[in-house]
Amino acid sequence: MRMIQRSEKRAQDLRNRAFSAETVRGMEHPLLERGVPLMRMAAQTTAQEAIRLLEKNGIHVNEANVVLLAGAGNNGGDGLYAAAALAGRGATLTVIAVGKSLHSSALLACMQAGGKVLVLDPESRIPGTSNGFGLGEAGERLEAALDIAIESDLVIDAMTGIGARGPLRGLPATLAQGFMKRAGRTDQENDDHTNGTVPTGHSGAPLVLAVDTPSGVGVDDGTLPGIHVPADVTMTFGALKPCAMLPPASYACGKVILVDFGFDIDGVTPACESIGPHVSSAIRLPRAKDAKYSRGVVGLITGSARFPGAAVLSSKAAARANVGMIRYLGPAAVAGSVVSALPEAVAAKGHVQAWVVGSGVPDAQHAQAADEQRTAIRSLLGNYDLGRDADRAMNMPPICVDAGALDLLPRHVPGHVVLTPHAGELASLLRRLDEDTTRETVEDSPIDCAARVHDLTGATVLLKGAVTAVLGAAPRQTGDDHTTTVRICGSGPAWLATAGSGDVLAGIMGALLAQQDEGSLQHDPEKVALTAASAAYIHGLAGQIASGTTACGWQPPFLMDPAESILTLDDPHAGHPIIASDIVEAIPEAFERAMEQAR
Ligand SMILES: NC(=O)C1=CN([C@@H]2O[C@H](COP(=O)(O)OP(=O)(O)OC[C@H]3O[C@@H](n4cnc5c(N)ncnc54)[C@H](OP(=O)(O)O)[C@@H]3O)[C@@H](O)[C@H]2O)[C@H](O)CC1
Ligand SMILES: [K+]
């Protein structure tokens, strides 16, 4: 099999961009026309990974019980050829056919290698298998299939790939439901172990290897529209699909291995992209003639008598994040805490290049009638109201609107207003915009909900989560649907979920916004989105450094060539607990690493 010639840039693009199923088909097409054996390449690499995964769990392939869940499409074909290769290496193989047919030559390969086939659909027509059984027997077959699957060492999920339409239905859905129940696997389990830290061999249940995509996920939108089969490892082919990048589907993919088929991805618009490779472009290196003002000044209206710590954390984080100065504006007692924790802070009004408002400030529900901080923020945010004075709004410095300030946002604002809600806050925002939304809706469809807030308000929306999504202005994709390229950042480890962590992010955000050339963000909302996502990335990286782990919400996939032999994939260190102040301490090193990654 041929080796792929791959530049650094290509590797980076492949690992950090995901393409819609339709775009992937478009990229497959010329290779298939040239007779490149894509299915064999997919199968061979899948078999290799299956062997590695089994061995990592102490099972040699020739003593392994392998079950293939095979659909009627080409995804099933990939799985059948891979399973045939495993049977050829001595594995005991059962193919469970969930559709009315199976890829015929791949099935033949499986049978010749000694695989048994268990057909579930009474209406199926599959050569070499018994057809024409009744509904009663179909029920028995389903039970038998579940027994075999649950007792196996490895389940290869090849029911559906990029040909999946809507929630899993019919026999694939019933089988997935039964399997998940018997395996005692919950969505929560995969949520708990995002793709940097997937456990294998959990609680005696079989390992699950997904072919191209886990069956049941929303391939293009990253949702989980119904029952699905979470995987320990997903082998994906040619290019990443959005489900391998966007939450919550990305959590169901486990560790992702991308097989480079040699697609021509140059100039092809991705559906979503990870910010990782672009972070250094948001960092302004100090210049010889710089003074503190030219490096950027951040103004903060954060913290409150109730949460003075938020003022300290956001100020310290901003001060550590490569700016010349920070100005803290808030109640005298809180300003006193800030200056004693950070003598570098200036507690006086003056010119700023970016604002941070709202962290640690009570929202409307929790505030006293005349809250000093809310009054100041309301008056500042009024300047960003496009409905009041568009020129003025366009000329205001960029601003990060966090936590308690979110409910003070004017209805229409420019893109250099960056919102940093978590799921609950985004749901409240949507309700304020007259959309009937709950926190659960946001967790189920984070990208859609964040896009909705962006569309309704014009603000750049950074929705915080294990995988943070940024929805802002971006080059519109071709086609009629006008979807926006979604930027994601998954650099944060789970340890980052700790009190004050959001205040630190807001501080970094203010600093990154402030260090861009003055006036450059107001007319370049795409740059705002890149800058906002970069702040989340640096925050996550600081969390990794502080907690001593590289396990995080989203890792770029491992790249594998079709001609390559088995990879060694090391699991990351688990790391250790941290407090928000530890994240602040690690910010400078995070900047250094982000710049090194760009070299
Ligand atoms: N093109 C190539 O040569 C390569 C493709 N590769 C692999 O192929 C799949 C895509 O294959 P495709 O046949 O287009 O589609 P799938 O196999 O993914 O899915 C079609 C089958 O799935 C059933 N289906 C669809 N939606 C559902 C659903 N919601 N619930 C249950 N079943 C569903 C569908 O059944 P119908 O009744 O709708 O006909 C089909 O049976 C790709 O993902 C790769 O794995 C390789 O990359 C090699 C090159
Ligand atoms: K699959």
Side-chain angles (χ1 to χ4, degrees), residues 25 28 32 37-40 42 71-78 99-101 158-173 211-213 237-238 241 261 263:
R25 286 194 196 279
E28 269 175 3
L32 291 171
L38 297 184
M39 189 175 274
R40 298 299 192 125
N74 286 329
N75 193 250
D78 292 351
K100 291 189 177 28
S101 60
M159 295 197 288
T160 60
I162 61 171
R165 296 281 168 272
L168 214 52
R169 54 182 152 71
L171 276 167
V211 176
D212 209 16
T213 69
F237 310 119
K241 325 309 181 274
F261 276 179
F263 284 178

Side-chain angles (χ1 to χ4, degrees), residues 70-336:
N74 286 329
N75 193 250
D78 292 351
L80 283 163
Y81 277 125
L86 296 176
R89 300 280 296 265
T92 305
L93 170 67
T94 308
V95 175
I96 299 174
V98 299
K100 291 189 177 28
S101 60
L102 281 179
H103 188 286
S104 50
S105 41
L107 172 64
L108 193 64
C110 259
M111 286 175 154
Q112 281 169 349
K116 288 199 211 75
V117 183
L118 179 56
V119 175
L120 299 187
D121 190 334
E123 290 173 15
S124 68
R125 291 284 170 269
I126 298 175
T129 64
S130 54
N131 296 310
F133 50 90
L135 281 179
E137 189 180 333
E140 286 165 22
R141 285 179 177 231
L142 178 66
E143 287 303 308
L146 286 169
D147 288 345
I148 297 168
I150 204 67
E151 290 301 321
S152 70
D153 300 305
L154 172 70
V155 168
I156 301 179
D157 165 19
M159 295 197 288
T160 60
I162 61 171
R165 296 281 168 272
L168 214 52
R169 54 182 152 71
L171 276 167
T174 314
L175 190 70
Q177 193 93 49
F179 176 70
M180 292 288 285
K181 197 165 163 211
R182 291 193 189 201
R185 280 184 87 134
T186 58
D187 290 354
Q188 185 62 39
E189 197 169 312
N190 259 56
D191 284 2
D192 283 351
H193 304 278
T194 48
N195 76 357
T197 55
V198 172
T200 47
H202 32 75
S203 57
L207 298 157
V208 176
L209 175 60
V211 176
D212 209 16
T213 69
S215 300
V217 302
V219 175
D220 281 344
D221 65 7
T223 60
L224 295 172
I227 186 76
H228 59 279
V229 186
D232 294 298
V233 176
T234 297
M235 291 294 295
T236 198
F237 310 119
L240 285 181
K241 325 309 181 274
C243 60
M245 193 177 269
L246 300 180
S250 59
Y251 308 140
C253 293
K255 196 170 268 174
V256 178
I257 299 175
L258 168 60
V259 183
D260 186 356
F261 276 179
F263 284 178
D264 183 1
I265 56 166
D266 264 0
V268 182
T269 311
C272 45
E273 183 165 11
S274 159
I275 189 66
H278 305 291
V279 173
S280 65
S281 65
I283 299 173
R284 179 192 185 278
L285 291 177
R287 299 165 194 165
K289 288 187 181 161
D290 266 344
K292 62 187 177 209
Y293 295 115
S294 58
R295 292 190 63 200
V297 179
V298 186
L300 298 106
I301 310 179
T302 55
S304 52
R306 211 167 140 214
F307 302 114
V312 174
L313 286 168
S314 53
S315 301
K316 277 184 139 184
R320 283 259 180 241
N322 191 34
V323 283
M325 191 170 120
I326 70 132
R327 292 183 185 281
Y328 179 76
L329 303 177
V334 185

Side-chain angles (χ1 to χ4, degrees), residues 59-82:
I59 307 161
H60 195 266
V61 61
N62 64 12
E63 51 199 33
N65 279 306
V66 175
V67 163
L68 174 74
L69 313 180
N74 286 329
N75 193 250
D78 292 351
L80 283 163
Y81 277 125

